[in-house]
Amino acid sequence: MPPRKRADAVRNEQTLLAAAAEVFVRSGVDAPIREIAAAAGVGMGTIYRHFPTRADLVVAVYRHQVEACAEAGPALLSTEDSAVAALRKWIDLFVDFLVTKHGLAGAMQSDSSGFASLHAYFLDRLGPVCGSLLDAAAEAGEIRAGVRPFELMRGIGNLCIGRDDDPCYDPRRLIALLLDGLSVQQ
Amino acid sequence: MPPRKRADAVRNEQTLLAAAAEVFVRSGVDAPIREIAAAAGVGMGTIYRHFPTRADLVVAVYRHQVEACAEAGPALLSTEDSAVAALRKWIDLFVDFLVTKHGLAGAMQSDSSGFASLHAYFLDRLGPVCGSLLDAAAEAGEIRAGVRPFELMRGIGNLCIGRDDDPCYDPRRLIALLLDGLSVQQ
DNA sequence: AACGATACGGAGCACTGTTCCGCTTTGTCA
DNA sequence: TGACAAAGCGGAACAGTGCTCCGTATCGTT
């Protein structure tokens, strides 16, 4: 059995995951390793030790983000003033996460089978969370009922496609529109 | 009206197109500029003057290859011993060309409209050439009749997908099989 | 406290895209 | 033909990047 990991190693890994996620959102998944290292406040060697290839890092960030996103759902629901506010904040996190996700798809041209399993994991983990946020907001009468979580997630995902091509295209603006349309009415 | 191009400039452009095509086949469309320049026996500055961006170069090579491929059809038919030999050699050229084509698709993530028109050009120009080779071989009784050119081109194109991923995957071997199957029988 | 084992940092190397400018070749015009 | 702009060429030089390697620092254990 392998010896337990050193405390600083675990700490660095967490820091890296968080920093890389931020950098990916800001500069895309092709951001220079140096930039990620700087953001995390570690040396490049540290990154390469934890994540030998870029794909390793992206995958790890992906899983980490799925987890964070999943945990944020209930947390926001108990923190925010209204269910719809929680939903909005959650979707904000979700959009950040999609950047990594789309970058991942690009970084995985070869191993598309591994990607499929990650995608399944993503749906299983996040679908219920999104569902409970929707339910809460619907029960509170803040949005219309009957919106299916997978539908919404899929739609938001699609709105986020191709964001790099055109700096004038801001998915968040459209998503905001979508959410406004969700508000109960008619 | 712009002054006529200098003789050495046109010569260099042709040399470059031919050299780049070779290098693309050997090293992919992401081959270093230096490598292409060396293969063509010119300086890097020359490449950048003729083709400011990599996409420009790839597109130019693409058109050049389509043209060469189209002209090679009739030429092979009159040079080779049999129609089927001409067909085989032509398909060999065609496969080389597909490398550029697939690389092009990758290099054109953004401008997909331009890509579509190039693809149409490709079909219009090469379909009839392939058709006449097939007809000649069929008439000579060297292959079975009834194979549609677009079908064959499409099939070969698909066999060439994903060749970089796996060094063990050699599309030409499969294509040879396909051609053997084409030989008249039954 | 002492001492391996483990992990860290970042200088250094290799390779790449891209620019820029002195030099060469070409075409033209007297 | 010879001279002379203009057009074109080459490749050194710069900047940015991935990745390695090893001296140093930190950790956990005894």
Side-chain angles (χ1 to χ4, degrees), chain A residues 6 12 27 31 34-35 45 47-48 55 79 95 110 114 130 134 137-138 151 163 172 176 179:
Chain A
R6 260 171 57 167
N12 268 322
S27 314
R34 281 170 175 75
E35 185 177 341
I47 296 193
Y48 280 104
T79 307
V95 171
S110 46
C130 183
L134 283 171
E151 195 175 44
R163 50 160 47 191
R172 283 183 212 267
L179 289 182

Side-chain angles (χ1 to χ4, degrees), chain A residues 11-160:
Chain A
R11 200 182 334 118
N12 268 322
E13 191 162 327
Q14 292 306 311
T15 312
L16 258 174
L17 252 20
E22 269 185 42
V23 174
F24 286 166
V25 172
R26 184 172 58 238
S27 314
V29 282
D30 287 329
I33 298 286
R34 281 170 175 75
E35 185 177 341
I36 301 171
V42 305
M44 286 177 303
T46 303
I47 296 193
Y48 280 104
R49 192 164 326 95
H50 287 292
F51 312 102
T53 75
R54 193 178 211 88
D56 291 332
L57 175 59
V58 181
V59 169
V61 170
Y62 180 91
R63 304 195 90 101
H64 192 251
Q65 291 279 84
V66 171
E67 213 47 44
C69 220
E71 284 167 11
L76 285 169
L77 218 38
S78 66
T79 307
E80 294 299 309
D81 293 336
S82 68
V84 75
L87 180 62
R88 294 190 112 96
K89 290 217 168 185
W90 185 79
I91 286 178
D92 224 43
L93 291 176
F94 183 65
V95 171
D96 277 355
F97 159 69
L98 285 172
V99 176
T100 310
K101 179 171 156 54
H102 286 153
L104 177 72
M108 277 195 132
Q109 307 132 314
S110 46
D111 177 22
S112 62
S113 66
F115 180 66
S117 77
L118 278 174
H119 189 248
Y121 167 66
F122 151 75
L123 287 178
D124 285 354
R125 192 77 180 84
L126 256 33
V129 175
C130 183
S132 66
L133 282 161
L134 283 171
D135 287 347
E139 266 181 47
E142 294 165 356
I143 63 168
R144 72 181 61 179
V147 181
R148 282 164 305 186
F150 289 103
E151 195 175 44
L152 181 62
M153 285 166 61
R154 177 73 194 271
I156 293 175
N158 284 349
L159 283 177
C160 289

Side-chain angles (χ1 to χ4, degrees), chain A residues 162-170:
Chain A
R163 50 160 47 191
D164 327 323
D165 300 349
D166 178 3
C168 298
Y169 180 64
D170 177 7

Side-chain angles (χ1 to χ4, degrees), chain B:
Chain B
M1 130 174 199
R4 195 170 103 264
K5 257 193 177 177
R6 263 171 53 167
D8 56 346
V10 286
R11 199 180 336 117
N12 268 323
E13 192 161 326
Q14 292 306 309
T15 312
L16 259 174
L17 252 20
E22 268 185 43
V23 174
F24 286 167
V25 172
R26 185 172 55 238
S27 315
V29 282
D30 287 329
I33 298 286
R34 280 169 177 75
E35 186 176 340
I36 301 170
V42 305
M44 289 176 301
T46 303
I47 296 192
Y48 279 103
R49 190 163 328 92
H50 288 293
F51 311 102
T53 76
R54 191 177 214 90
D56 291 331
L57 175 59
V58 181
V59 169
V61 170
Y62 180 89
R63 305 194 89 102
H64 192 251
Q65 292 278 85
V66 170
E67 213 47 45
C69 220
E71 286 167 9
L76 285 171
L77 218 39
S78 65
T79 306
E80 294 298 309
D81 292 336
S82 66
V84 76
L87 180 63
R88 294 189 113 95
K89 290 217 169 185
W90 185 79
I91 286 179
D92 224 42
L93 292 176
F94 183 64
V95 171
D96 277 356
F97 158 69
L98 285 172
V99 176
T100 310
K101 179 170 157 54
H102 286 153
L104 176 73
M108 276 194 131
Q109 304 134 317
S110 44
D111 176 22
S112 60
S113 66
F115 179 66
S117 77
L118 277 175
H119 189 249
Y121 167 65
F122 151 76
L123 287 178
D124 286 353
R125 192 76 179 84
L126 255 33
V129 175
C130 181
S132 65
L133 282 162
L134 284 172
D135 287 348
E139 266 180 48
E142 295 165 354
I143 63 168
R144 73 181 60 180
V147 181
R148 282 164 305 186
F150 289 103
E151 195 175 43
L152 181 63
M153 286 166 61
R154 176 72 193 272
I156 293 175
N158 284 350
L159 283 177
C160 289
I161 289 174
R163 50 158 49 192
D164 327 322
D165 300 350
D166 177 2
C168 298
Y169 180 63
D170 177 8
R172 284 184 212 264
R173 199 185 311 277
L174 293 172
I175 290 166
L177 245 46
L178 197 70
L179 290 182
D180 288 345
L182 222 63
S183 297
V184 71
Q185 63 195 242
Q186 95 193 333

